[in-house]
Amino acid sequence: MNTIQPIYKKKGETPLEAIERFRDEQIIKGDQSFEEARLTYLGRLDPMAEGVLLVGINVNEEERNQYLHLDKEYIVDILFGIESDTWDALGIVKVDENLLNKTSYIIDQSVLQEVVEDFVGTHQLPYPLYSSKPISGTPLFSIARMGGSVEELPTRDMTFLSIEIVSTEKRAFLDIQKEVIEDIKKVSGDFRQQIITESWQTISIPSEQEMNMVRVKVKCTSGTYMRTLAHEIGRRLQTSAIACGIIRTKVGEFEIN
């Protein structure tokens, strides 16, 4: 067998865990060829992200490279008023002080629309600190985990083909906090889960405080970070923001359905 297979990576899984689960599922179904099959994932997805992941089954390097630069589509939930060192929910978090002042923490919908529309096109944007981009041969996340610092994050061209605001809503912080902590429990391996969970648990926000959550649908080229998009939208709105949920709905012509 020599083919490309789309699978659904679950929230909490690493890509490697997802393809090994796929292997086990095929063996259970009776396809013993998967015991020795060479499986490789084509494109990364963060542990807290879910959705379409392409798996190469016994493909060579040339075949693999054909699928590494396909356009992508995502649904992203952007949470405003919170910042993290990973720019998503699987990071050490703290509160934007403006969040505690309800009278000043208001997202103007027309301004939000303008900011979102301004991102369509190609921009030089930073890699997240917790990413695999190497500096002098060392991935950024390794530098951060070892307590090192980066004076200025490296950047790359990120191209957004379209961004559509799907919905905007106010959500109680306690509900978001509970959901995020449950999602962190799904992550295995060493991703600083304990200290990250503690940072979420110790956030000091009034129990009645509502948070701004915006869902966007994004079409983009390969190598475009949804965590960067969330962070940059928040920055341009003069507040903090993280990608609280990421679903990859399409890779090339491969869709969830």
Side-chain angles (χ1 to χ4, degrees), residues 22 27-28 30 33-34 43 51 63-64 67 70 99 106 120 133 140 147 149 156 189 207 214 219 224 238 243:
F22 170 66
I27 293 172
I28 290 173
S33 67
F34 273 87
E63 293 169 322
R64 181 177 185 274
Y67 290 88
L70 299 175
L99 177 67
I106 299 172
V120 177
K133 172 65 177 176
L140 279 171
S149 61
R156 66 164 291 150
S207 59
V214 175
K219 297 181 181 180
T224 300
Q238 299 184 328

Side-chain angles (χ1 to χ4, degrees), residues 148-163:
S149 61
V150 178
E151 289 187 7
E152 186 174 353
L153 288 171
T155 62
R156 66 164 291 150
D157 281 344
M158 299 188 191
T159 301
F160 300 92
L161 304 172
S162 68
I163 306 176

Side-chain angles (χ1 to χ4, degrees), residues 5-242:
Q5 173 69 42
I7 68 172
Y8 195 97
K9 187 190 92 64
K10 300 176 182 179
K11 184 179 291 187
E13 288 181 319
T14 64
L16 182 58
E17 289 171 337
I19 64 175
E20 288 306 318
R21 171 176 55 82
F22 170 66
R23 183 197 301 277
D24 292 341
E25 290 170 349
Q26 302 315 303
I27 293 172
I28 290 173
K29 290 177 181 178
D31 191 340
Q32 301 307 312
S33 67
F34 273 87
E35 289 186 359
E36 301 298 329
R38 187 176 69 256
L39 305 184
T40 180
Y41 56 85
L42 311 178
R44 297 175 179 272
L45 262 182
D46 296 326
M48 292 287 271
E50 58 187 302
V52 179
L53 179 70
L54 299 188
V55 179
I57 306 173
N58 298 322
V59 297
N60 59 38
E61 191 67 17
E62 181 180 350
E63 293 169 322
R64 181 177 185 274
N65 289 337
Q66 294 177 14
Y67 290 88
L68 288 179
H69 305 291
L70 299 175
D71 292 347
K72 313 286 197 308
E73 294 185 15
Y74 296 88
I75 294 293
V76 186
D77 289 328
I78 303 175
L79 175 63
F80 292 91
I82 298 289
E83 61 180 287
S84 85
D85 59 357
T86 58
W87 298 349
D88 72 352
L90 191 61
I92 297 174
V93 292
K94 63 180 181 179
V95 183
D96 186 325
E97 291 184 1
N98 290 328
L99 177 67
L100 304 180
N101 184 346
K102 296 180 183 179
T103 59
S104 65
Y105 190 75
I106 299 172
I107 292 181
D108 185 296
Q109 295 299 313
S110 61
V111 174
L112 172 64
Q113 184 66 45
E114 290 177 6
V115 168
V116 167
E117 290 176 356
D118 190 53
F119 271 97
V120 177
T122 301
H123 307 269
Q124 274 276 324
L125 296 173
Y127 286 87
L129 177 60
Y130 279 81
S131 66
S132 57
K133 172 65 177 176
I135 294 183
S136 300
T138 303
L140 279 171
F141 72 85
S142 294
I143 295 173
R145 289 292 296 267
M146 292 185 294
S149 61
V150 178
E151 289 187 7
E152 186 174 353
L153 288 171
T155 62
R156 66 164 291 150
D157 281 344
M158 299 188 191
T159 301
F160 300 92
L161 304 172
S162 68
I163 306 176
E164 172 191 350
I165 297 176
V166 177
S167 64
T168 60
E169 62 176 333
K170 297 274 192 177
R171 293 197 59 199
F173 172 72
L174 290 181
D175 291 340
I176 296 171
Q177 180 188 51
K178 181 179 179 181
E179 290 176 10
V180 168
I181 291 174
E182 286 302 311
D183 286 339
I184 292 173
K185 291 178 182 178
K186 300 174 184 177
V187 179
S188 59
D190 181 12
F191 288 92
R192 308 180 299 160
Q193 291 94 317
Q194 182 174 344
I195 189 172
I196 288 170
T197 299
E198 290 172 355
S199 74
W200 275 98
Q201 291 172 331
T202 56
I203 285 180
S204 179
I205 294 180
S207 59
E208 71 279 5
Q209 177 68 63
E210 291 187 319
M211 311 284 286
N212 291 282
M213 185 86 80
V214 175
R215 172 166 288 190
V216 294
K217 180 179 181 179
V218 182
K219 297 181 181 180
C220 60
T221 58
S222 181
T224 300
Y225 284 77
M226 297 303 101
R227 290 183 287 148
T228 295
L229 175 65
H231 173 78
E232 290 293 313
I233 287 178
R235 188 180 66 82
R236 296 191 190 188
L237 289 171
Q238 299 184 328
T239 184
S240 302
I242 63 171

